[in-house]
Amino acid sequence: MSRIDPRYPIGRFVPPPVFDADVIVSHREAIRALPDALRTAVDGLVERHLDTPYRSGGWTVRQVVHHLADSHLNAYTRMRLGATEQAPTIRPYDEVAWAELPDARESPIAPSVLLLDGLHARWSSLLASFDAAMWQRTVIHPEHDLPLTLWTVAALYAWHGRHHVAHIRTLRDREGW
């Protein structure tokens, strides 16, 4: 029996090998559905649960929720830049430092969950408007210095949402919450 790496409960991100309508619909649906999946994952958790790391050395549930809001705000902005500019270089940010800020370590999660509701509604609407040419547009991430198609970015963030919801669900299962 293989042991699941607690850092990657659904596995590491693997870019889809093909770009087609079914893949796009799948990723768009995952992005649309994230707020409800997250809400279900955190439903009934109390403060001590929210302040529990999902793994040894990992972020707390609270930090994971706030990270999703921070990360997906950045992703949405990056996709809009890619849709409106010619291969823009996107700005990275230090997600670990952001997760250590007091608001991410101590604030209630409700505002981030609400933020994700509106953000993902807008993001889903944006993605539904893309034609095949728009999906092929690119952004440049300076840490990798490679062009990323918007469909690859969508795939990454569809995975990213499921990845972090799985962190919370795995912790709940392990702790019996």
Side-chain angles (χ1 to χ4, degrees), residues 20-40:
D20 66 26
D22 291 338
V23 169
I24 293 304
V25 167
S26 170
H27 298 322
R28 192 174 69 225
E29 176 56 23
I31 288 170
R32 186 204 60 75
L34 173 71
D36 288 338
L38 179 61
R39 191 173 276 106
T40 298

Side-chain angles (χ1 to χ4, degrees), residues 65-114:
V65 172
H66 293 313
H67 164 72
L68 279 167
D70 293 341
S71 176
H72 289 207
L73 273 169
N74 276 282
Y76 173 71
T77 301
R78 291 168 175 177
M79 290 197 81
R80 291 184 70 81
L81 289 169
T84 60
E85 298 178 15
Q86 191 60 42
T89 297
I90 55 177
R91 188 179 186 296
Y93 69 101
D94 185 342
E95 64 183 34
V96 173
W98 284 37
E100 293 300 324
L101 288 170
D103 68 318
R105 294 186 62 79
E106 301 165 5
S107 294
I109 63 170
S112 283
V113 175
L114 286 172

Side-chain angles (χ1 to χ4, degrees), residues 15-164:
V18 297
F19 165 72
D20 66 26
D22 291 338
V23 169
I24 293 304
V25 167
S26 170
H27 298 322
R28 192 174 69 225
E29 176 56 23
I31 288 170
R32 186 204 60 75
L34 173 71
D36 288 338
L38 179 61
R39 191 173 276 106
T40 298
V42 299
D43 185 48
L45 295 182
V46 297
E47 292 298 307
R48 75 175 173 82
H49 299 146
L50 296 174
D51 293 327
T52 302
Y54 70 88
R55 66 173 176 86
S56 178
W59 289 336
T60 66
V61 171
R62 184 184 314 277
Q63 287 172 297
V64 168
V65 172
H66 293 313
H67 164 72
L68 279 167
D70 293 341
S71 176
H72 289 207
L73 273 169
N74 276 282
Y76 173 71
T77 301
R78 291 168 175 177
M79 290 197 81
R80 291 184 70 81
L81 289 169
T84 60
E85 298 178 15
Q86 191 60 42
T89 297
I90 55 177
R91 188 179 186 296
Y93 69 101
D94 185 342
E95 64 183 34
V96 173
W98 284 37
E100 293 300 324
L101 288 170
D103 68 318
R105 294 186 62 79
E106 301 165 5
S107 294
I109 63 170
S112 283
V113 175
L114 286 172
L115 187 152
L116 286 163
D117 282 332
L119 175 64
H120 279 250
R122 284 284 310 276
W123 197 357
S124 296
S125 179
L126 174 68
L127 299 181
S129 74
F130 283 6
D131 61 15
M134 188 65 78
W135 285 109
Q136 296 298 333
R137 293 180 64 94
T138 61
V139 295
I140 307 295
H141 196 298
E143 291 175 356
H144 308 290
D145 201 27
L146 297 171
L148 298 171
T149 61
L150 294 186
W151 72 274
T152 301
V153 175
L156 173 61
Y157 285 92
W159 169 86
H160 186 257
R162 291 189 306 264
H163 164 73
H164 284 302

